[in-house]
Amino acid sequence: MRIPGLAVAAGGVGLAAWLVKAGRPIPEAMGGRATGARAARMAESPEWSNGRFHNQQLRFEPSSRSLAGSVKELVAGRQERHPVGDVPLVREPLGSLPEGTHVSWLGHSTVLVQVDGAVVLLDPVWSDRCSPSQQVGPRRLHPVPVALRDLPPVDAVVISHDHYDHLDMDSVKELADLRPETRFVVPLGVGAHLEKWGVAADRIDELDWHEDTKVAGVRLVATPAQHFSGRGLSRDGTLWASWVLEGEHGKVFYSGDTGYFIGFAQIGERYGPFDLALVQVGAYDDGWPTIHMTPEHGVEAALDVGAQVMVPVHWGTFNLAFHPWSEPIERVLAEAERRGVTVVVPRPGERIDVADLPAEPTHWWRSVT
C-alpha cells in the first residue's frame, strides 16, 4: 500500500528531514513505546490484532498518489494553500463560565470546550510546527490566539490520536507543569508518549473505544474513528478516537481525524443527539479518501451524530493537503445550506455560546483569501 501523501506529513513526514538536518538520534518528541501492563491491555482490545490497531469497518484503500507525485504536487501545484494576509484572530481572555456550553476554536483541531462549568482542551498544539522538530515540517499559518498560561484552569486534556498536528510534546509538557490537577484522557497506547514526557501515570486515563471516564462532572467517552496513528516510520501502534463530552446539561461531539464511515450513525444512535459537533473538514484529497473527510462528508457526519450545530475544525492553520486554503469552509457552507445544517465558523480565539449563536457567518476568511 502506498503512503497517503501529505496525510503522513501530519504523522511524521518531518522525521527524515529532521534527521538529515540535525544529525542526531531520534528526538524525544517521537514519544514512548508501550510495554508491560500497558502493552498487555492494548493486546486485549477488539481493535488490536497482529501487533497493531485496525479500523473495524473498512480496510484502507491504497492511495492513488505516490510519494513522488505528492512531493511534485506540493512543490509545483498551483493551488493557493496559504492565506494572502494576516488571519483575523480574537485575543480576548477565555475565562471559565459556570453555565452553558461554549467552544473556542484556537486553530486546526485545538478547541477549548466548556460544558457545565468543566473545561476540556482538545488536541492542544501551541508549537510553531507540527513536526518532531521545530526546524522543519508544516508551519503555522497564523499565531495561536491565546497563550497556554492565559487559559482558564483546564480540567482535562483530551487527545484524539498521536499525529504531530494533534499531540504536541511541548504543549503537553507545559500544560502538565502549569496545571498539576489537569488530567490527560487519551486512546490506548498514547499514555506511553505522555509518560516519556514526564506526565505521571496517575494523571492519565487511557481508553479503548466505548470506554469512558468522568472529569469534573463531565463524562468523556472514546468513540470510533477511521484513521491511523504513528509518530515515525511505524504505524498503528496506538489507537485513534473520536470523543463524546457529556455533561448534565450539555453534550459535544468531536470527530478527531477520520474518514467518513458508518460509525457516525452508530455513535448518533448510542450517544446522540449533540448540542454541537466539532468536525474535521480539511486536509482531504482524492488520494486518501478513507482517512480524512471531505467537507461534504463532514456535514454528513454532523447529521449522522444528530448535532444541532456544526463547527468545522482541522482547517486553516497548517498546510497539510493540496486543496486551496479556504476551500474547505466554502464547501462546508454550500453543503450545509443544501442539507439544512446550522454551521458556525468562529475566528481563531472566538468563543461560541451554543445558546446564543451568531445570526449568520461573517465570512471573515474571505478577506485573506
Side-chain angles (χ1 to χ4, degrees):
M1 181 175 63
R2 292 172 175 170
I3 297 174
L6 284 189
V8 176
V13 76
L15 174 61
W18 188 91
L19 293 173
V20 170
K21 185 179 180 74
R24 58 184 290 186
I26 294 175
E28 182 185 10
M30 297 291 292
R33 183 173 177 271
T35 59
R38 174 177 283 114
R41 184 175 173 221
M42 290 162 56
E44 294 174 354
S45 168
E47 287 70 63
W48 181 271
S49 64
N50 300 319
R52 60 192 293 186
F53 286 104
H54 297 264
N55 292 293
Q56 287 186 335
Q57 296 169 321
L58 179 66
R59 300 175 64 88
F60 278 118
E61 298 176 10
S63 172
S64 62
R65 289 189 187 271
S66 66
L67 184 57
S70 296
V71 172
K72 179 180 179 181
E73 185 69 17
L74 176 64
V75 173
R78 296 180 179 274
Q79 307 93 340
E80 182 51 69
R81 295 193 290 265
H82 298 76
V84 298
D86 293 336
V87 173
L89 308 177
V90 176
R91 297 182 178 273
E92 297 173 359
L94 293 173
S96 296
L97 296 175
E99 297 181 359
T101 301
H102 310 261
V103 299
S104 303
W105 181 54
L106 303 177
H108 199 56
S109 293
T110 301
V111 185
L112 190 75
V113 181
Q114 296 167 290
V115 179
D116 294 357
V119 179
V120 180
L121 184 59
L122 303 175
D123 286 350
V125 177
W126 260 253
S127 290
D128 191 46
R129 297 181 187 270
C130 53
S131 167
S133 168
Q134 290 305 294
Q135 304 302 314
V136 296
R139 191 170 194 172
R140 283 188 170 277
L141 303 177
H142 65 79
V144 185
V146 61
L148 272 172
R149 63 181 177 275
D150 293 331
L151 294 178
V154 175
D155 296 299
V157 171
V158 171
I159 304 296
S160 63
H161 64 297
D162 72 0
H163 286 163
Y164 289 97
D165 59 324
H166 295 261
L167 178 60
D168 176 48
M169 178 186 70
D170 290 341
S171 299
V172 166
K173 284 185 169 184
E174 186 173 351
L175 280 161
D177 289 341
L178 283 172
R179 316 288 190 191
E181 70 284 357
T182 298
R183 300 202 62 78
F184 292 82
V185 185
V186 302
L188 286 179
V190 175
H193 300 318
L194 273 59
E195 285 192 39
K196 184 177 179 66
W197 301 334
V199 181
D202 61 6
R203 296 179 65 181
I204 302 170
D205 294 291
E206 210 160 342
L207 306 180
D208 200 349
W209 291 345
H210 302 298
E211 292 182 341
D212 64 78
T213 189
K214 185 169 281 191
V215 179
V218 171
R219 181 183 178 220
L220 305 173
V221 188
T223 44
Q226 183 177 279
H227 200 54
F228 69 110
S229 66
R231 295 177 73 81
L233 300 179
S234 62
R235 285 178 46 172
D236 303 338
T238 63
L239 188 59
W240 47 94
S242 59
W243 288 90
V244 171
L245 288 64
E246 182 180 20
E248 183 177 354
H249 303 291
K251 192 186 299 185
V252 173
F253 175 72
Y254 170 44
S255 72
D257 277 11
T258 178
Y260 179 76
F261 73 129
I262 194 174
F264 290 123
Q266 296 169 339
I267 290 168
E269 291 173 2
R270 184 165 178 174
Y271 301 104
F274 295 91
D275 301 304
L276 182 142
L278 301 156
V279 183
Q280 172 259 308
V281 301
Y284 50 84
D285 187 84
D286 291 342
W288 53 84
T290 60
I291 58 172
H292 279 169
M293 289 189 289
T294 64
E296 292 77 16
H297 277 154
V299 173
E300 186 76 17
L303 285 167
D304 284 353
V305 300
Q308 296 179 30
V309 180
M310 173 185 174
V311 172
V313 300
H314 203 271
W315 77 281
T317 303
F318 296 107
N319 175 23
L320 300 176
F322 306 116
H323 56 69
W325 177 73
S326 63
E327 181 183 280
I329 207 63
E330 296 290 358
R331 286 175 57 174
V332 161
L333 291 179
E335 182 69 5
E337 182 177 9
R338 189 180 75 84
R339 302 292 302 274
V341 174
T342 299
V343 175
V344 178
V345 189
R347 293 167 292 168
E350 182 178 0
R351 180 156 51 198
I352 298 298
D353 182 349
V354 172
D356 186 20
L357 298 175
E360 58 185 29
T362 60
H363 300 103
W364 56 263
W365 59 90
R366 291 179 180 172
S367 66
V368 291
T369 299

